[in-house]
Amino acid sequence: MSIHENKDNTDNFRSTLAQVVATLALSCLSFSIGFVAVMPTIVIGALRNDTSPLGMSETAASWFGSVMFVMQPMGSGVSAFLQDILGRKTCLMAVNIPNLIAWTIIYFSTSTVHLFMAVIIIGIAMGFLEAPILSYVGEITQPRLRGILTSFSGVFSTIGMMILSSLATVMDWRNLALISMSGPVMALVALAFVPDSPAWLVSKGRVSDAEKAFQWLRGWVRPEDVKHELAAIVNYVKETQSLKIIDNIEYKAVPNKENPVTTNPQGRLQLLMEPRVRKAFQIVFIYFTIMACAALLAMRPYFIEILKDIGSPIRPHIALALCNALQLVGAICGGVLMRILGKRRLSFLSLGLSVFCCLTLGLYLSYRPEFPWIPVALFCLSYFAGPLGIFVIPWILIMELFPLRARGMAGGICGAVAHGLFFTTTKTYYSLVHLVDISGACYFYGAVGVLGLIYLYWDLPETEGVSLEEIERKFGERRNSKQYRSP
């Protein structure tokens, strides 16, 4: 039986409400991520060329804006193994502790060494959480809600960015760090009240706990109201891996042994080298490369400095707040449009707008006409276009394209590669500008986006509205995107 077939009749308001509540609890963590994402831009804007011990040169600023990305692969690598051992929920709760410590260091910092210590801690923590956060949402939600609820992560991180950048117009960076401490505290408290992923619980043989989790997630219902969905998950796990223990007599037929493929390093490597897993890696890695360039991620930590250099007609901090407000609008629109357009067409729309911004901004900076509002408008459109699709969709694909038995490891590896790409593009921004000027950098990012449009047209599958079980079955059989459609 497919999980997509809901024989339990839980497609109702209470089921929707329960899944929304669980996702909102998780979104407190995304809210905290938004604070982290905008913090380097604010700090660099305040301390660039400052003469105090906290002042940053061009080299120091380039490292401060990018070191968080280079540390995130470390967290992602640890997460690749621990989230399958400890569970999605435990990992997501634990990551709030180092975040709180890092914000405390920033608030009390007296030199750039302290700032770098904090950003290294935050980078590791952010890398640790990104794989389990999307695995968790994908595994607790029904196919009809998965797209829009997964988009909550982007919406709430954007809200965090918008709030912090707005406060930056009236507060200094140190007080903003104090306010940011509230994010990890809220997330830790909220996550304590939601259940763990039923799919992960079943994979660990904890079927009774999975049943209770389903009861909570489908509207606080009776055990008999979720028996078909639970049976489908058990059968799904039986097909993909053997279980160590089973604590529910109804499912005693599930094999009582460890799967050697998932319990030793050689077996794990063989699992990651399966053709459909390698194909999923290819799609996700290329998508991240496209996104890192076309969304102008490399320029964002230096946004305030760039606006000063090109002669912004408004205060750079106000422009940053406006751009982050448009990011929120883009994230909300993306969540709504994902269900209507699907992930393929939404990717084309979001990437097309991003490419337009890159190339048009390059043209403006090449000729510098006396229209200072044009680059501000293009940056605003770019900030809107990213969360509309290309910021969110590759993370969703990690949760959708990889089979359950490889999802934890693959998610950690993908997170590590993604942040390695983000670090490379951000760290090399100044070098690229020295080589080809800022206009040439925009042309380069736009060219990568154009090539990305061509690749995604031919190879990106449509997964919207399809159960994770069906995606796993169909993805292994598919040859190109035209052979893979939602039922």
Side-chain angles (χ1 to χ4, degrees), residues 239-273:
E239 292 175 3
T240 57
Q241 66 185 64
S242 300
L243 294 183
K244 185 177 181 180
I245 57 171
I246 285 295
D247 57 3
N248 187 316
I249 191 171
E250 184 177 353
Y251 303 104
K252 62 185 179 181
V254 178
N256 185 27
K257 61 181 180 180
E258 284 280 0
N259 186 348
V261 173
T262 60
T263 55
N264 65 80
Q266 184 177 0
R268 287 174 181 267
L269 181 60
Q270 290 175 350
L271 178 61
L272 295 177
M273 294 305 293

Side-chain angles (χ1 to χ4, degrees), residues 341-355:
L341 299 179
K343 297 185 182 70
R344 270 178 60 84
R345 284 183 287 182
L346 189 59
S347 292
F348 302 149
L349 175 61
S350 175
L351 182 55
L353 289 173
S354 297
V355 168

Side-chain angles (χ1 to χ4, degrees), residues 300-320:
R300 296 195 176 202
Y302 320 111
F303 182 75
I304 293 174
E305 180 185 350
I306 291 170
L307 287 185
K308 289 178 181 178
D309 290 343
I310 64 177
S312 172
I314 58 175
R315 283 179 56 204
H317 284 90
I318 294 176
L320 178 62

